[in-house]
Amino acid sequence: MKTWLLIALVACGGNGGSTPDPDTLPPPPPDGPLPDLPPPRETVTKTYSLAVGELAEAQMTGGAADRAVLRLSAPVAGIDWNIHSHPNGTTINVVVQEGVMESTYDFVPTEEADWYLLVRNGGPANMDIQVVADLYGAMTYDDL
């Protein structure tokens, strides 16, 4: 299992000490175009200035009628990120990606819950990671 994912689970409260089976980790985001979408209800832009290995986390709250189109970027290929949740004391890992310079992900929750976007500087030097979140429906985005 990826060490930073384990750290990430601890960062937001974890799941009672258990860790996900490495064989059940989610796939990276799919390649391909985004669906045609109307303009978002709200766009949130955040810049996280992170030292090597440092984490930042945001909470998105929403359900199946909501959506967040996330665009992450950094000056070098060093973004490690995931989306996860902890409904009813369990852990749901939605997506995991490591060592990227840019990524776009269309996140539609499977159920109403608090969903956590965790970004980590996995690069060789301190860097700024920018996150742009286009929010649809009642989806919210707040830094933790």
Side-chain angles (χ1 to χ4, degrees), residues 90-113:
T90 65
T91 298
I92 297 172
N93 290 300
V94 176
V95 63
V96 174
Q97 195 171 34
E98 297 180 324
V100 297
M101 187 170 163
E102 296 180 344
S103 188
T104 299
Y105 186 68
D106 182 15
F107 173 55
V108 178
T110 55
E111 61 187 271
E112 185 70 34

Side-chain angles (χ1 to χ4, degrees), residues 23-96:
D23 295 331
T24 63
L25 290 176
D31 291 330
L34 292 174
D36 273 339
L37 295 170
R41 173 185 53 79
E42 177 183 3
T43 297
V44 176
T45 301
K46 298 288 185 171
T47 300
Y48 300 102
S49 297
L50 301 176
V52 174
E54 188 175 10
L55 305 168
E57 190 169 34
Q59 178 179 317
M60 299 178 289
T61 301
D66 306 316
R67 165 182 257 138
V69 175
L70 303 168
R71 293 181 303 280
L72 295 84
S73 62
V76 298
I79 304 171
D80 299 338
W81 68 278
N82 75 50
I83 296 175
H84 63 279
S85 186
H86 303 290
N88 302 316
T90 65
T91 298
I92 297 172
N93 290 300
V94 176
V95 63
V96 174

